[in-house]
Coordinates of all heavy atoms in Angstrom, one line a residue:
M1 N 0.9 -1.2 0.0 CA 0.0 0.0 0.0 C 0.9 1.2 0.0 O 1.8 1.3 0.8 CB -0.9 0.0 1.2 CG -1.9 1.1 1.2 SD -3.2 0.8 2.4 CE -2.3 1.1 3.9
K2 N 0.6 2.1 -0.9 CA 1.4 3.3 -1.0 C 0.6 4.6 -0.5 O -0.6 4.6 -0.8 CB 1.8 3.5 -2.4 CG 3.3 3.9 -2.5 CD 3.7 3.9 -4.0 CE 4.9 4.9 -4.0 NZ 6.1 4.5 -4.2
R3 N 1.3 5.4 0.2 CA 0.6 6.7 0.5 C 1.6 7.8 0.3 O 2.8 7.6 0.3 CB 0.1 6.6 1.9 CG 1.2 6.7 2.9 CD 0.8 6.1 4.3 NE 2.0 5.8 5.0 CZ 2.5 6.6 5.9 NH1 1.9 7.7 6.3 NH2 3.6 6.3 6.5
T4 N 1.1 9.0 0.2 CA 2.0 10.1 0.0 C 2.6 10.5 1.4 O 2.0 10.4 2.4 CB 1.3 11.3 -0.6 OG1 0.1 11.6 0.1 CG2 0.9 11.0 -2.1
S5 N 3.8 11.1 1.3 CA 4.4 11.5 2.5 C 3.9 12.9 3.0 O 3.7 13.7 2.1 CB 5.9 11.6 2.3 OG 6.4 10.3 1.9
T6 N 3.8 13.1 4.3 CA 3.5 14.4 4.8 C 4.8 15.2 4.9 O 5.9 14.6 4.7 CB 2.9 14.3 6.2 OG1 3.9 13.8 7.1 CG2 1.7 13.4 6.2
A7 N 4.7 16.5 5.1 CA 5.9 17.3 5.2 C 6.8 16.9 6.4 O 8.0 16.9 6.2 CB 5.4 18.8 5.4
S8 N 6.2 16.5 7.5 CA 7.1 16.1 8.6 C 7.8 14.8 8.3 O 8.9 14.6 8.7 CB 6.2 16.0 9.9 OG 5.5 14.8 9.9
E9 N 7.1 13.9 7.6 CA 7.8 12.7 7.2 C 9.0 13.0 6.2 O 10.1 12.4 6.4 CB 6.8 11.7 6.4 CG 5.9 11.1 7.4 CD 4.8 10.2 6.6 OE1 4.7 10.4 5.4 OE2 4.2 9.4 7.3
K10 N 8.8 13.9 5.3 CA 9.8 14.3 4.4 C 11.0 14.9 5.1 O 12.2 14.6 4.8 CB 9.3 15.3 3.3 CG 8.5 14.6 2.3 CD 8.2 15.5 1.1 CE 7.4 14.7 0.1 NZ 6.2 15.5 -0.4
R11 N 10.7 15.7 6.1 CA 11.8 16.3 6.9 C 12.6 15.2 7.7 O 13.8 15.3 7.7 CB 11.2 17.3 8.0 CG 11.2 18.7 7.5 CD 11.1 19.7 8.7 NE 10.0 19.4 9.6 CZ 8.8 19.8 9.3 NH1 8.5 20.5 8.3 NH2 7.8 19.5 10.2
H12 N 11.8 14.3 8.2 CA 12.5 13.2 9.0 C 13.4 12.4 8.0 O 14.5 12.1 8.3 CB 11.5 12.3 9.6 CG 12.1 11.2 10.4 ND1 12.7 11.3 11.6 CD2 12.3 9.9 10.0 CE1 13.3 10.2 11.9 NE2 13.0 9.3 11.0
L13 N 12.9 12.0 6.9 CA 13.6 11.2 5.9 C 14.9 12.0 5.5 O 15.9 11.4 5.3 CB 12.8 10.8 4.7 CG 11.6 9.9 5.1 CD1 10.7 9.6 3.8 CD2 12.1 8.6 5.7
A14 N 14.7 13.3 5.3 CA 15.9 14.1 4.9 C 16.9 14.1 6.0 O 18.1 14.0 5.8 CB 15.5 15.5 4.6
S15 N 16.5 14.2 7.3 CA 17.5 14.1 8.4 C 18.1 12.8 8.5 O 19.3 12.7 8.8 CB 16.9 14.5 9.8 OG 15.7 15.1 9.7
V16 N 17.4 11.7 8.2 CA 18.0 10.4 8.3 C 19.0 10.3 7.2 O 20.2 9.8 7.4 CB 16.9 9.3 8.1 CG1 17.5 7.9 7.8 CG2 16.0 9.2 9.3
A17 N 18.7 10.7 6.0 CA 19.7 10.6 4.9 C 20.9 11.5 5.2 O 22.0 11.2 4.8 CB 19.0 11.1 3.6
A18 N 20.7 12.7 5.8 CA 21.7 13.6 6.1 C 22.8 13.0 7.1 O 23.9 13.5 7.1 CB 21.2 14.9 6.6
L19 N 22.4 12.1 7.9 CA 23.4 11.4 8.8 C 24.4 10.6 8.0 O 25.4 10.3 8.6 CB 22.6 10.5 9.8 CG 21.8 11.2 10.8 CD1 21.1 10.1 11.6 CD2 22.6 12.0 11.8
G20 N 24.1 10.3 6.8 CA 25.0 9.4 6.0 C 24.7 8.0 6.3 O 23.8 7.6 7.1
C21 N 25.6 7.1 5.8 CA 25.4 5.7 6.0 C 25.7 5.4 7.5 O 26.8 5.6 7.9 CB 26.3 4.9 5.1 SG 26.2 3.1 5.5
I22 N 24.7 4.9 8.2 CA 24.8 4.7 9.6 C 25.7 3.5 9.9 O 26.4 3.4 10.9 CB 23.4 4.5 10.3 CG1 23.5 4.8 11.8 CG2 22.8 3.2 10.0 CD1 23.9 6.2 12.1
L23 N 25.8 2.5 9.0 CA 26.7 1.4 9.2 C 28.1 1.8 8.9 O 29.0 1.4 9.7 CB 26.3 0.3 8.2 CG 27.1 -1.0 8.4 CD1 26.9 -1.7 9.7 CD2 26.7 -2.0 7.3
C24 N 28.4 2.5 7.9 CA 29.7 3.0 7.6 C 30.2 3.8 8.8 O 31.4 3.6 9.3 CB 29.8 4.0 6.4 SG 29.8 3.1 4.8
S25 N 29.4 4.7 9.4 CA 29.9 5.5 10.5 C 29.9 4.7 11.8 O 30.9 4.8 12.5 CB 29.0 6.8 10.6 OG 27.9 6.6 11.5
H26 N 28.9 3.9 12.1 CA 28.9 3.3 13.4 C 29.8 2.0 13.5 O 30.5 1.8 14.5 CB 27.4 2.8 13.7 CG 27.2 2.5 15.1 ND1 27.3 3.4 16.1 CD2 26.9 1.3 15.7 CE1 27.1 2.8 17.3 NE2 26.8 1.5 17.0
A27 N 29.9 1.3 12.4 CA 30.6 0.1 12.4 C 32.1 0.2 11.9 O 33.0 -0.4 12.3 CB 29.9 -1.0 11.6
Y28 N 32.2 1.2 11.0 CA 33.5 1.3 10.3 C 34.2 2.6 10.4 O 35.3 2.8 9.9 CB 33.3 0.9 8.8 CG 32.8 -0.5 8.6 CD1 31.5 -0.7 8.1 CD2 33.6 -1.6 8.8 CE1 30.9 -1.9 8.0 CE2 33.1 -2.9 8.7 CZ 31.8 -3.0 8.2 OH 31.3 -4.3 8.1
G29 N 33.6 3.6 11.1 CA 34.2 4.8 11.3 C 34.4 5.7 10.1 O 35.1 6.7 10.1
N30 N 33.6 5.5 9.1 CA 33.6 6.3 7.9 C 32.3 7.2 8.0 O 31.2 6.8 7.8 CB 33.5 5.5 6.6 CG 34.7 4.6 6.5 OD1 35.8 5.0 6.8 ND2 34.5 3.4 6.0
H31 N 32.6 8.5 8.2 CA 31.4 9.4 8.5 C 31.0 10.1 7.2 O 31.8 10.3 6.3 CB 31.8 10.4 9.6 CG 32.1 9.7 10.9 ND1 31.1 9.2 11.7 CD2 33.3 9.5 11.5 CE1 31.7 8.6 12.7 NE2 33.0 8.8 12.6
E32 N 29.7 10.4 7.2 CA 29.1 11.2 6.1 C 29.3 10.6 4.8 O 29.5 11.2 3.8 CB 29.7 12.6 6.1 CG 29.3 13.4 7.4 CD 29.9 14.8 7.5 OE1 30.3 15.3 6.4 OE2 30.1 15.3 8.6
V33 N 29.1 9.3 4.7 CA 29.0 8.5 3.4 C 27.6 8.7 2.9 O 26.7 8.4 3.6 CB 29.4 7.1 3.6 CG1 29.2 6.3 2.3 CG2 30.7 6.9 4.2
P34 N 27.5 9.3 1.7 CA 26.1 9.5 1.2 C 25.2 8.3 1.3 O 25.7 7.2 0.9 CB 26.4 9.9 -0.3 CG 27.8 10.5 -0.3 CD 28.5 9.7 0.8
A35 N 24.0 8.5 1.7 CA 23.1 7.3 2.0 C 21.8 7.4 1.3 O 21.3 8.5 1.0 CB 22.9 7.3 3.5
E36 N 21.2 6.2 1.2 CA 19.8 6.1 0.7 C 19.0 5.7 1.9 O 19.5 5.1 2.9 CB 19.7 5.0 -0.3 CG 20.7 5.2 -1.5 CD 20.7 4.0 -2.4 OE1 20.4 2.9 -2.0 OE2 21.2 4.2 -3.5
V37 N 17.7 6.0 1.9 CA 16.9 5.7 3.1 C 16.4 4.3 2.9 O 15.9 3.9 1.9 CB 15.7 6.7 3.2 CG1 14.7 6.2 4.2 CG2 16.2 8.1 3.5
H38 N 16.6 3.5 4.0 CA 16.1 2.1 4.0 C 15.1 2.0 5.1 O 15.3 2.4 6.2 CB 17.3 1.2 4.3 CG 16.9 -0.2 4.6 ND1 16.3 -1.1 3.7 CD2 17.0 -0.9 5.8 CE1 16.1 -2.2 4.3 NE2 16.4 -2.2 5.6
H39 N 13.9 1.4 4.8 CA 12.9 1.1 5.8 C 13.1 -0.2 6.5 O 13.2 -1.2 5.8 CB 11.5 1.1 5.1 CG 11.0 2.4 4.7 ND1 11.5 3.2 3.7 CD2 10.0 3.2 5.3 CE1 10.8 4.3 3.7 NE2 9.9 4.4 4.7
V40 N 13.2 -0.1 7.8 CA 13.5 -1.3 8.6 C 12.1 -1.9 8.9 O 11.2 -1.2 9.3 CB 14.2 -0.9 9.9 CG1 14.3 -2.2 10.8 CG2 15.5 -0.3 9.6
R41 N 12.0 -3.2 8.7 CA 10.7 -3.9 9.0 C 10.7 -4.4 10.4 O 11.6 -5.2 10.8 CB 10.5 -5.0 8.0 CG 10.4 -4.5 6.6 CD 9.5 -5.4 5.7 NE 9.3 -4.7 4.5 CZ 8.3 -3.9 4.3 NH1 7.4 -3.7 5.3 NH2 8.1 -3.3 3.2
V42 N 9.8 -3.9 11.2 CA 9.7 -4.3 12.6 C 8.4 -4.9 12.8 O 7.4 -4.3 12.6 CB 9.9 -3.1 13.5 CG1 9.9 -3.6 15.0 CG2 11.2 -2.3 13.2
N43 N 8.4 -6.2 13.2 CA 7.2 -6.9 13.4 C 6.8 -7.0 14.9 O 7.1 -8.0 15.6 CB 7.2 -8.3 12.8 CG 7.4 -8.2 11.3 OD1 6.7 -7.4 10.6 ND2 8.4 -8.9 10.8
H44 N 6.2 -5.9 15.4 CA 5.8 -6.0 16.8 C 4.3 -6.2 16.9 O 3.7 -6.2 18.0 CB 6.1 -4.6 17.5 CG 7.6 -4.5 17.8 ND1 8.3 -5.5 18.4 CD2 8.4 -3.5 17.7 CE1 9.5 -5.1 18.6 NE2 9.7 -3.9 18.1
G45 N 3.7 -6.3 15.8 CA 2.2 -6.5 15.8 C 1.5 -5.2 15.9 O 0.3 -5.2 16.1
W46 N 2.2 -4.1 15.9 CA 1.4 -2.8 16.1 C 1.5 -1.9 14.8 O 1.5 -0.7 14.9 CB 1.9 -2.0 17.3 CG 3.3 -1.9 17.6 CD1 4.0 -2.7 18.5 CD2 4.3 -1.1 16.9 NE1 5.4 -2.3 18.5 CE2 5.6 -1.4 17.5 CE3 4.3 -0.1 15.9 CZ2 6.7 -0.7 17.2 CZ3 5.4 0.5 15.5 CH2 6.6 0.2 16.2
G47 N 1.5 -2.6 13.7 CA 1.4 -1.8 12.5 C 2.5 -2.0 11.5 O 3.5 -2.6 11.9
R48 N 2.3 -1.5 10.4 CA 3.4 -1.6 9.3 C 4.5 -0.7 9.6 O 4.4 0.2 10.5 CB 2.8 -1.3 8.0 CG 2.3 0.1 7.8 CD 1.2 0.2 6.7 NE 0.4 1.3 6.9 CZ 0.7 2.5 6.6 NH1 1.9 2.8 6.0 NH2 -0.1 3.5 6.8
S49 N 5.6 -0.8 8.9 CA 6.8 0.0 9.2 C 6.5 1.5 8.9 O 5.8 1.8 7.9 CB 8.0 -0.5 8.3 OG 7.7 -0.2 7.0
S50 N 6.9 2.3 9.7 CA 6.6 3.7 9.5 C 7.8 4.5 9.0 O 8.9 3.9 9.0 CB 6.1 4.3 10.8 OG 7.2 4.9 11.5
H51 N 7.6 5.7 8.7 CA 8.7 6.6 8.2 C 9.8 6.8 9.3 O 10.9 7.1 9.1 CB 8.2 7.9 7.7 CG 7.6 8.7 8.8 ND1 6.4 8.4 9.4 CD2 8.1 9.8 9.4 CE1 6.1 9.3 10.3 NE2 7.1 10.2 10.4
L52 N 9.4 6.6 10.6 CA 10.3 6.7 11.7 C 11.3 5.5 11.7 O 12.3 5.5 12.4 CB 9.6 6.8 13.0 CG 8.9 8.2 13.2 CD1 8.1 8.1 14.5 CD2 9.9 9.3 13.2
M53 N 10.9 4.4 11.1 CA 11.7 3.2 11.1 C 12.6 3.2 9.9 O 12.5 2.2 9.1 CB 10.7 2.0 11.1 CG 9.8 1.9 12.3 SD 10.8 1.7 13.8 CE 9.4 1.7 15.0
T54 N 13.4 4.2 9.8 CA 14.2 4.3 8.6 C 15.7 4.5 9.0 O 15.9 5.2 10.0 CB 13.8 5.4 7.6 OG1 13.6 6.6 8.4 CG2 12.5 5.0 6.9
I55 N 16.6 4.0 8.3 CA 18.0 4.3 8.5 C 18.6 4.6 7.2 O 18.1 4.3 6.1 CB 18.7 3.0 9.1 CG1 18.6 1.8 8.2 CG2 18.2 2.7 10.5 CD1 19.4 0.6 8.7
G56 N 19.7 5.3 7.2 CA 20.5 5.7 6.0 C 21.5 4.6 5.7 O 22.3 4.3 6.6
L57 N 21.6 4.1 4.5 CA 22.6 3.1 4.1 C 23.2 3.6 2.8 O 22.4 4.0 1.9 CB 22.0 1.7 4.0 CG 21.6 1.0 5.3 CD1 20.9 -0.3 5.0 CD2 22.8 0.8 6.2
C58 N 24.5 3.5 2.7 CA 25.1 3.8 1.4 C 24.7 2.7 0.4 O 24.2 1.6 0.7 CB 26.6 3.8 1.5 SG 27.4 2.3 2.0
P59 N 24.8 3.0 -0.9 CA 24.3 2.0 -1.9 C 24.9 0.6 -1.7 O 24.2 -0.4 -1.9 CB 24.8 2.6 -3.3 CG 24.8 4.1 -3.0 CD 25.3 4.3 -1.5
E60 N 26.2 0.6 -1.3 CA 26.8 -0.7 -1.1 C 26.1 -1.5 0.1 O 25.8 -2.6 0.0 CB 28.3 -0.5 -0.8 CG 29.0 -1.8 -0.2 CD 29.1 -2.9 -1.2 OE1 29.0 -2.7 -2.4 OE2 29.2 -4.1 -0.7
H61 N 26.0 -0.8 1.2 CA 25.4 -1.4 2.4 C 23.8 -1.6 2.2 O 23.2 -2.3 3.0 CB 25.7 -0.7 3.6 CG 27.2 -0.8 4.0 ND1 27.9 0.2 4.5 CD2 28.0 -1.9 3.8 CE1 29.2 -0.3 4.7 NE2 29.2 -1.6 4.3
H62 N 23.3 -0.9 1.3 CA 21.8 -1.0 1.1 C 21.5 -2.1 0.1 O 20.8 -3.1 0.5 CB 21.3 0.4 0.5 CG 19.8 0.5 0.5 ND1 19.1 1.3 -0.3 CD2 18.9 -0.2 1.3 CE1 17.8 1.1 -0.1 NE2 17.6 0.3 0.9
R63 N 22.1 -2.1 -1.1 CA 21.7 -3.1 -2.0 C 22.9 -3.7 -2.8 O 22.7 -4.3 -3.8 CB 20.7 -2.5 -3.0 CG 21.1 -1.2 -3.6 CD 19.9 -0.5 -4.3 NE 20.2 0.9 -4.4 CZ 21.1 1.4 -5.3 NH1 21.7 0.7 -6.1 NH2 21.3 2.7 -5.4
G64 N 24.1 -3.4 -2.3 CA 25.3 -3.9 -2.9 C 25.6 -5.3 -2.4 O 24.8 -6.0 -1.8
N65 N 26.9 -5.7 -2.7 CA 27.3 -7.1 -2.3 C 27.2 -7.4 -0.8 O 26.9 -8.5 -0.5 CB 28.7 -7.4 -2.8 CG 28.8 -7.6 -4.3 OD1 27.9 -8.0 -4.9 ND2 29.9 -7.2 -4.9
S66 N 27.4 -6.4 0.0 CA 27.3 -6.6 1.4 C 26.1 -6.0 2.0 O 26.0 -5.7 3.2 CB 28.6 -6.1 2.1 OG 28.7 -4.7 1.9
G67 N 25.1 -5.7 1.1 CA 24.0 -4.9 1.5 C 22.9 -5.7 2.1 O 22.8 -6.9 2.0
V68 N 22.0 -5.0 2.8 CA 20.9 -5.7 3.6 C 19.9 -6.3 2.6 O 19.4 -7.4 2.9 CB 20.2 -4.7 4.5 CG1 19.5 -3.5 3.7 CG2 19.2 -5.4 5.4
H69 N 19.7 -5.8 1.4 CA 18.7 -6.4 0.5 C 19.3 -7.6 -0.2 O 18.6 -8.5 -0.6 CB 18.2 -5.4 -0.5 CG 17.3 -4.4 0.1 ND1 16.0 -4.7 0.5 CD2 17.4 -3.0 0.4 CE1 15.4 -3.6 1.0 NE2 16.3 -2.6 0.9
N70 N 20.6 -7.6 -0.2 CA 21.2 -8.8 -0.9 C 21.3 -10.0 0.1 O 21.3 -11.1 -0.4 CB 22.7 -8.4 -1.3 CG 23.2 -9.3 -2.4 OD1 22.5 -9.8 -3.2 ND2 24.5 -9.4 -2.4
H71 N 21.4 -9.7 1.4 CA 21.6 -10.8 2.3 C 20.4 -11.1 3.2 O 20.4 -12.2 3.8 CB 22.8 -10.4 3.2 CG 24.1 -10.5 2.5 ND1 24.7 -11.6 2.0 CD2 24.9 -9.5 2.1 CE1 25.8 -11.4 1.4 NE2 26.0 -10.1 1.4
G72 N 19.6 -10.2 3.5 CA 18.6 -10.4 4.5 C 19.2 -10.0 5.8 O 20.4 -9.9 6.0
R73 N 18.3 -9.8 6.8 CA 18.7 -9.2 8.0 C 19.7 -10.0 8.9 O 20.6 -9.5 9.5 CB 17.6 -8.7 8.9 CG 16.7 -9.8 9.4 CD 15.5 -9.4 10.1 NE 15.4 -7.9 10.3 CZ 14.3 -7.4 10.9 NH1 13.3 -8.1 11.2 NH2 14.3 -6.1 11.0
E74 N 19.5 -11.4 8.9 CA 20.4 -12.2 9.7 C 21.8 -12.2 9.2 O 22.8 -12.1 9.9 CB 19.8 -13.6 9.9 CG 18.8 -13.7 11.0 CD 17.7 -14.7 10.8 OE1 18.1 -15.8 10.3 OE2 16.6 -14.3 11.0
Q75 N 21.9 -12.4 7.9 CA 23.2 -12.5 7.3 C 23.9 -11.1 7.3 O 25.1 -11.0 7.6 CB 23.0 -12.9 5.8 CG 24.3 -13.2 5.1 CD 25.0 -14.5 5.6 OE1 24.4 -15.2 6.4 NE2 26.2 -14.7 5.2
F76 N 23.1 -10.1 7.2 CA 23.6 -8.7 7.3 C 24.3 -8.5 8.7 O 25.4 -8.0 8.8 CB 22.5 -7.7 7.1 CG 22.8 -6.3 7.2 CD1 23.4 -5.6 6.1 CD2 22.6 -5.6 8.3 CE1 23.7 -4.3 6.1 CE2 22.9 -4.2 8.4 CZ 23.4 -3.6 7.3
E77 N 23.6 -8.9 9.7 CA 24.1 -8.8 11.1 C 25.4 -9.6 11.2 O 26.3 -9.2 11.9 CB 23.0 -9.2 12.1 CG 23.5 -9.0 13.5 CD 22.4 -9.3 14.5 OE1 21.3 -9.6 14.1 OE2 22.7 -9.2 15.7
A78 N 25.4 -10.8 10.7 CA 26.5 -11.7 10.8 C 27.8 -11.1 10.1 O 28.9 -11.2 10.6 CB 26.2 -13.1 10.2
I79 N 27.5 -10.4 9.0 CA 28.7 -9.8 8.3 C 29.2 -8.6 9.0 O 30.4 -8.4 9.1 CB 28.2 -9.4 6.8 CG1 27.9 -10.6 6.0 CG2 29.3 -8.6 6.1 CD1 27.2 -10.3 4.7
H80 N 28.3 -7.7 9.4 CA 28.7 -6.4 9.9 C 28.7 -6.2 11.4 O 29.3 -5.3 11.9 CB 27.7 -5.3 9.3 CG 27.8 -5.3 7.8 ND1 28.9 -4.9 7.1 CD2 26.8 -5.6 6.9 CE1 28.6 -5.0 5.8 NE2 27.3 -5.4 5.6
G81 N 28.1 -7.2 12.1 CA 28.1 -7.1 13.6 C 27.1 -6.2 14.2 O 27.0 -6.1 15.4
F82 N 26.2 -5.6 13.3 CA 25.1 -4.9 13.9 C 23.8 -5.2 13.1 O 23.9 -5.4 11.9 CB 25.4 -3.4 13.7 CG 26.5 -2.8 14.5 CD1 27.8 -2.7 14.0 CD2 26.3 -2.5 15.8 CE1 28.8 -2.3 14.8 CE2 27.3 -2.1 16.6 CZ 28.6 -1.9 16.1
S83 N 22.7 -5.3 13.8 CA 21.5 -5.6 13.2 C 20.8 -4.3 12.7 O 21.2 -3.2 13.2 CB 20.5 -6.3 14.2 OG 20.1 -5.4 15.2
E84 N 19.9 -4.4 11.8 CA 19.1 -3.2 11.4 C 18.5 -2.5 12.6 O 18.4 -1.3 12.7 CB 17.9 -3.7 10.5 CG 18.3 -4.0 9.1 CD 17.0 -4.5 8.4 OE1 16.5 -5.6 8.8 OE2 16.5 -3.8 7.6
I85 N 18.0 -3.3 13.6 CA 17.3 -2.7 14.7 C 18.3 -1.9 15.6 O 18.0 -0.8 16.1 CB 16.7 -3.8 15.6 CG1 15.8 -4.7 14.8 CG2 16.0 -3.2 16.8 CD1 14.6 -4.0 14.2
E86 N 19.5 -2.4 15.8 CA 20.6 -1.7 16.5 C 20.9 -0.4 15.8 O 21.1 0.7 16.4 CB 21.8 -2.5 16.7 CG 21.7 -3.7 17.7 CD 22.8 -4.6 17.6 OE1 23.1 -5.2 16.6 OE2 23.5 -4.8 18.7
L87 N 21.0 -0.5 14.5 CA 21.4 0.7 13.7 C 20.2 1.7 13.8 O 20.4 2.9 13.8 CB 21.7 0.3 12.2 CG 22.9 -0.5 12.1 CD1 23.0 -1.0 10.6 CD2 24.2 0.2 12.5
L88 N 19.0 1.2 13.8 CA 17.8 2.1 13.9 C 17.9 2.8 15.2 O 17.6 4.1 15.3 CB 16.6 1.3 13.8 CG 15.2 2.0 14.0 CD1 15.0 3.0 12.8 CD2 14.1 1.0 14.0
A89 N 18.3 2.1 16.3 CA 18.4 2.8 17.6 C 19.5 3.9 17.6 O 19.3 4.9 18.2 CB 18.7 1.8 18.7
V90 N 20.6 3.6 16.8 CA 21.6 4.6 16.7 C 21.1 5.9 16.0 O 21.3 7.0 16.4 CB 22.8 4.0 16.0 CG1 23.9 5.1 15.7 CG2 23.4 2.9 16.8
V91 N 20.4 5.6 14.9 CA 19.8 6.8 14.1 C 18.9 7.6 15.0 O 19.0 8.8 15.0 CB 19.1 6.2 12.9 CG1 18.2 7.3 12.2 CG2 20.1 5.7 11.9
Q92 N 18.0 6.9 15.7 CA 17.0 7.6 16.5 C 17.6 8.4 17.6 O 17.2 9.5 17.9 CB 15.9 6.6 17.0 CG 15.2 6.0 15.8 CD 13.9 5.3 16.1 OE1 13.8 4.8 17.2 NE2 13.1 5.1 15.2
A93 N 18.7 7.8 18.2 CA 19.4 8.5 19.3 C 20.1 9.8 18.7 O 20.0 10.8 19.3 CB 20.5 7.6 19.9
K94 N 20.7 9.7 17.5 CA 21.3 10.8 16.9 C 20.3 11.9 16.6 O 20.6 13.1 16.6 CB 22.0 10.4 15.6 CG 23.4 9.7 15.8 CD 24.0 9.4 14.5 CE 25.2 8.5 14.6 NZ 26.4 9.3 15.1
L95 N 19.1 11.5 16.2 CA 18.1 12.5 15.9 C 17.3 12.9 17.1 O 16.3 13.7 17.0 CB 17.2 11.9 14.8 CG 17.8 11.6 13.5 CD1 16.8 11.0 12.5 CD2 18.5 12.9 12.9
G96 N 17.6 12.3 18.3 CA 16.9 12.7 19.5 C 15.5 12.2 19.6 O 14.6 12.8 20.2
I97 N 15.3 11.0 19.0 CA 14.0 10.3 19.0 C 14.1 9.2 20.0 O 15.1 8.5 20.0 CB 13.6 9.8 17.7 CG1 13.5 10.9 16.7 CG2 12.2 9.0 17.7 CD1 13.4 10.4 15.2
E98 N 13.1 9.0 20.8 CA 13.1 7.8 21.8 C 13.0 6.5 21.0 O 12.1 6.4 20.2 CB 11.9 7.9 22.7 CG 11.9 9.3 23.5 CD 12.1 9.0 25.0 OE1 11.7 8.0 25.5 OE2 12.6 10.0 25.6
Ligands
ZN101 ZN1 27.8 2.1 4.2
ZN102 ZN1 16.1 -0.7 1.7

């Protein structure tokens, strides 16, 4: 199901992208690597993934050879040492979101 983004969602997505690739910076110490927005799927039973459940990943870590879409979340965590959920927490802390 697709819906249009509100202005506040767009602002949030822009701030997420502006952090750069969160895996590059958090796991590898490479800051401000240009990132694409990735939606983290969280199955808590309280709804579909929201715009707040997004992290920035560089093209490589998003859909490249070591990327989350190429491997799936378990393999991604095994390769990089951080899960999508941990990275999401890092992003939200940086943006001041609980
Ligand atoms: Zn990266
Ligand atoms: Zn993605």
Side-chain angles (χ1 to χ4, degrees):
M1 187 167 69
K2 226 174 150 110
R3 70 202 163 99
T4 51
S5 301
T6 66
S8 79
E9 285 175 345
K10 283 190 180 133
R11 263 200 310 278
H12 178 77
L13 295 176
S15 341
V16 168
L19 290 175
C21 176
I22 200 65
L23 182 64
C24 280
S25 89
H26 195 65
Y28 299 108
N30 299 320
H31 299 286
E32 294 176 25
V33 177
E36 303 170 342
V37 171
H38 168 69
H39 282 76
V40 177
R41 299 207 166 273
V42 184
N43 296 311
H44 285 314
W46 43 259
R48 64 203 157 79
S49 71
S50 93
H51 66 287
L52 289 174
M53 299 296 178
T54 49
I55 59 177
L57 291 172
C58 64
E60 169 63 26
H61 289 143
H62 191 205
R63 51 195 159 73
N65 284 332
S66 61
V68 64
H69 287 289
N70 202 27
H71 290 291
R73 67 185 354 176
E74 273 149 46
Q75 190 68 12
F76 180 82
E77 182 176 359
I79 293 170
H80 300 293
F82 293 97
S83 68
E84 282 177 294
I85 304 300
E86 287 171 302
L87 295 172
L88 179 63
V90 173
V91 167
Q92 297 194 336
K94 280 180 189 285
L95 296 178
I97 300 165
E98 302 244 334

